[in-house]
Amino acid sequence: MNGIMDAGATLLAPARAHARPVASDTDCDAFVRDIYDQYGPLLLRYATRLLDGDWHKAEDILQETAARAWKHARFLGTRGEHLRPWLFTVTRNLVTDHHRARHIRPLELAPVEDRDASWDSTESTITSHAVLKALRELNEQQRTVIRLMYYLECSVSQTAEHLGIPPGTVKSRAFYAVRALRKALRKQGVSGP
């Protein structure tokens, strides 16, 4: 990691190719050190930019990228011309995974002070039971779309990809699912917006 913090690090990495075969763990360690020296500053800036300036998370992403390179060192050491694109792809995928995880589990990341503490637990519990009962009246397709889009907060395209159906079909199912849910709630005497 020392190579990353060097003040004299250039903006562009040299085009040195790692074409030597990697045989032992010592060679793997040297291979990863070469990656840090050659690509570390570039990968760190790239990850920081993708993470909207979060330098600390970018360092975590760089370390995970290096760990994956170390795991695959025997293969990557013989594929010098493909190393740089592989490293940038791994970094981008790790950042994408980070964004998805934050989107799917936003409450885990929110400080307790930011949560709404004013809701009434009794009313909330009764409403939850009514919604669960109404959800049981829906068919499986409707329940799945509601679960993905409203509970897990997946986008239309994410839901379509997960279910293997076109986005238009997701929108249609969501529309009819919400309409059926409102109808089931009205039957129970629960009114909403």
Side-chain angles (χ1 to χ4, degrees):
M1 185 89 174
N2 292 341
I4 293 174
M5 299 303 165
D6 289 342
T10 59
L11 292 177
L12 298 174
R16 180 175 64 182
H18 294 278
R20 63 178 157 80
V22 178
S24 68
D25 284 344
T26 305
D27 290 339
C28 290
D29 293 342
F31 176 70
V32 171
R33 266 194 306 280
D34 286 347
I35 288 174
Y36 269 112
D37 291 343
Q38 185 174 354
Y39 300 108
L42 293 171
L43 292 169
L44 189 59
R45 281 193 296 276
Y46 179 62
T48 302
R49 190 172 64 244
L50 293 176
L51 292 163
D52 298 322
D54 187 347
W55 185 268
H56 297 292
K57 185 62 185 171
E59 287 177 335
D60 293 342
I61 296 290
L62 175 60
Q63 288 177 354
E64 180 61 27
T65 301
R68 291 186 184 193
W70 183 81
K71 283 184 192 176
H72 298 92
R74 286 182 174 81
F75 171 74
L76 292 172
T78 61
R79 313 258 318 181
E81 70 278 0
H82 298 292
L83 181 60
R84 181 184 166 114
W86 186 89
L87 290 168
F88 277 86
T89 299
V90 169
T91 300
R92 185 187 68 238
N93 290 344
L94 289 169
V95 169
T96 300
D97 291 346
H98 169 73
H99 286 306
R100 285 180 181 157
R102 285 187 62 200
H103 181 70
I104 290 173
R105 296 183 301 271
L107 289 178
E108 292 177 8
L109 301 174
V112 174
E113 301 84 36
D114 293 348
R115 296 188 188 163
D116 183 16
S118 64
W119 55 263
D120 178 18
S121 63
T122 306
E123 182 181 334
S124 175
T125 302
I126 292 170
T127 303
S128 294
H129 285 290
V131 169
L132 289 173
K133 184 178 177 184
L135 280 171
R136 283 192 289 269
E137 293 184 27
L138 303 180
N139 66 41
E140 184 60 34
Q141 287 180 342
Q142 292 171 332
R143 276 194 304 271
T144 302
V145 167
I146 286 179
R147 187 177 310 118
L148 289 169
M149 293 185 69
Y150 298 99
Y151 286 110
L152 297 177
E153 298 179 359
C154 293
S155 67
V156 170
S157 60
Q158 290 170 329
T159 302
E161 183 179 329
H162 179 75
L163 296 175
I165 58 176
T169 304
V170 170
K171 290 178 186 178
S172 176
R173 285 185 188 175
F175 172 80
Y176 288 111
V178 169
R179 190 169 79 172
L181 185 61
R182 283 188 182 134
K183 184 178 177 183
L185 288 169
R186 274 195 298 273
K187 273 188 357 188
Q188 294 180 44
V190 177
S191 62

